[in-house]
Amino acid sequence: MPHVEEAIQLPRDFEGFGEAGHDCQWPNGARIAVSFILNYEEGGERSWYDGDNISEPYLWEKGSSGGIKPGGRYLNSEQDFEYGSRVGCWRILRLMKEFGWTMTLWAIAKAMERNPDFAKACVREGHEIGAHGLRWLEFWDYNLEDDKKYIKESWEALHKATGEMPVGFYFGRGTPNTHALVPIVLKEMGQKLLYSSECYNDEVPYWVDLPWEANLPLEEREGMLMVPYNYDCNDGKFHMAPGFMTSAGQSYESYLKSTFDMLYREGGKMMNIPMHSRIVGKAGRAEALRNFMKYISEKPGVWVATRRDIAQHYRERFPYKPGSRAGGT
């Protein structure tokens, strides 16, 4: 059972922005902000090569039906991951360049270390390096000190591998304390945290109060900006039940378009398109992704942005105000 440090837990919020909703007032009157996110994990997954006594069984073409036995090496799985770093990541980079857009990478440090040319190209093209961990591993059983050490080493390793110090993060794994420890660790490191994406509970950014700041003077509190992530548009569903086809009976391309259409009509929201090099980087899926990209490129009032840019806009337009989800509106 993982340890839960009660003093730093963020309270649950079942109300959000309620009936009125929230208009993020995107730049230049845009109706929607669209965030493409590449989960770059290939080379950081569990691997016989790295002494894990197993080849990664999760999120590859054959998935749980792939025949991997605990404690065994499986070259098929390893090579599917290698496809992502050899081929898929470059295809996605070319698509972003074709449309003149930038994306955020949820970057695993070890993966970036093992593909330095790709790391350099991402920075050169203006893409954001976000923190996704040292390696793509579960660490739910870490104690507080190990948790803090892992966070610190993740930032340092990503900085060394890419030349960029991340200003946002999404681990997706970790202990119940990891999320709340990040702003503490970064403050100790003298680094700025713009946002967390460790949440799935909204379609717009929002502020949370940090429990350990409760006794500080109001002007010294910083809060934490949340930029929500999602699973429903995630290409990982190709390898999960019910997959794409979706539970709504739609293909990947169709589901992305219908999600965009709803959010675009409502206005003031943001849309996430989570990607993996070894999944949507495959030619057939990449063509569906390109069709979607072309579809939204022909709509007026669409702001495709990194999460760093989304966070900076929100902070400027809705600066933190203790006790307010939307800041000082």
Side-chain angles (χ1 to χ4, degrees), residues 121-185:
C122 288
V123 174
R124 183 194 69 222
E125 297 298 322
H127 302 300
E128 177 194 0
I129 304 298
H132 197 31
L134 269 176
R135 292 186 60 206
W136 195 49
L137 304 173
E138 298 280 3
F139 56 101
W140 58 268
D141 56 346
Y142 278 12
N143 61 37
L144 283 178
E145 290 309 309
D146 286 341
D147 215 346
K148 292 176 72 175
K149 181 173 181 285
Y150 185 86
I151 294 165
K152 183 174 186 288
E153 290 179 348
S154 295
W155 256 259
E156 291 174 340
L158 281 167
H159 183 234
K160 183 177 180 181
T162 69
E164 281 204 2
M165 186 65 80
V167 295
F169 75 99
Y170 170 75
F171 283 103
R173 300 178 174 192
T175 77
N177 310 306
T178 307
H179 180 202
L181 286 172
V182 169
I184 295 173
V185 172

Side-chain angles (χ1 to χ4, degrees), residues 48-269:
W48 185 273
Y49 181 84
D50 288 315
D52 298 311
N53 203 34
I54 190 174
S55 298
E56 182 60 60
Y58 183 56
L59 286 190
W60 71 287
E61 288 297 327
K62 294 184 75 174
S64 59
S65 64
I68 297 177
K69 303 294 189 295
R73 186 176 191 187
Y74 198 37
L75 296 181
N76 299 29
S77 165
E78 293 180 11
Q79 292 175 4
D80 194 56
F81 275 80
E82 289 169 19
Y83 179 97
S85 62
R86 291 163 62 104
V87 181
C89 66
W90 296 109
R91 177 171 287 131
I92 292 169
L93 203 67
R94 288 195 298 271
L95 284 177
M96 298 305 294
K97 192 167 187 175
E98 177 183 348
F99 288 90
W101 297 338
T102 50
M103 63 182 170
T104 295
L105 286 90
W106 294 148
I108 292 291
K110 180 58 70 175
M112 298 306 266
E113 288 172 10
R114 286 176 166 160
N115 199 351
D117 286 348
F118 181 66
K120 291 174 186 174
C122 288
V123 174
R124 183 194 69 222
E125 297 298 322
H127 302 300
E128 177 194 0
I129 304 298
H132 197 31
L134 269 176
R135 292 186 60 206
W136 195 49
L137 304 173
E138 298 280 3
F139 56 101
W140 58 268
D141 56 346
Y142 278 12
N143 61 37
L144 283 178
E145 290 309 309
D146 286 341
D147 215 346
K148 292 176 72 175
K149 181 173 181 285
Y150 185 86
I151 294 165
K152 183 174 186 288
E153 290 179 348
S154 295
W155 256 259
E156 291 174 340
L158 281 167
H159 183 234
K160 183 177 180 181
T162 69
E164 281 204 2
M165 186 65 80
V167 295
F169 75 99
Y170 170 75
F171 283 103
R173 300 178 174 192
T175 77
N177 310 306
T178 307
H179 180 202
L181 286 172
V182 169
I184 295 173
V185 172
L186 289 195
K187 193 161 191 177
E188 291 172 352
M189 294 173 66
Q191 298 298 328
K192 179 73 173 177
L193 178 67
L194 281 185
Y195 70 91
S196 163
S197 281
E198 209 77 56
C199 60
Y200 318 89
N201 55 3
D202 216 314
E203 295 164 341
V204 293
Y206 62 92
W207 287 100
V208 294
D209 297 327
L210 297 173
W212 56 90
E213 293 184 344
N215 295 323
L216 293 177
L218 291 179
E219 64 274 11
E220 294 181 19
R221 301 182 198 178
E222 297 182 9
M224 183 160 62
L225 180 62
M226 311 300 294
V227 179
Y229 192 50
N230 73 19
Y231 284 130
D232 67 299
C233 292
N234 196 315
D235 67 346
K237 290 182 68 176
F238 279 110
H239 301 330
M240 304 174 191
F244 283 108
M245 304 295 285
T246 72
S247 54
Q250 295 170 292
S251 67
Y252 176 64
E253 180 184 334
S254 172
Y255 189 78
L256 292 185
K257 287 179 177 178
S258 63
T259 301
F260 173 85
D261 287 346
M262 172 63 77
L263 297 174
Y264 184 76
R265 183 171 60 251
E266 291 178 340
K269 307 284 182 65

Side-chain angles (χ1 to χ4, degrees), residues 19-62:
E19 184 177 6
H22 179 51
D23 182 351
C24 295
Q25 301 176 28
W26 301 123
N28 301 314
R31 291 195 59 77
I32 188 171
V34 179
S35 169
F36 289 87
I37 314 103
L38 178 61
N39 291 261
Y40 191 72
E41 300 153 347
E42 292 82 3
E45 79 281 1
R46 286 176 291 180
S47 167
W48 185 273
Y49 181 84
D50 288 315
D52 298 311
N53 203 34
I54 190 174
S55 298
E56 182 60 60
Y58 183 56
L59 286 190
W60 71 287
E61 288 297 327
K62 294 184 75 174

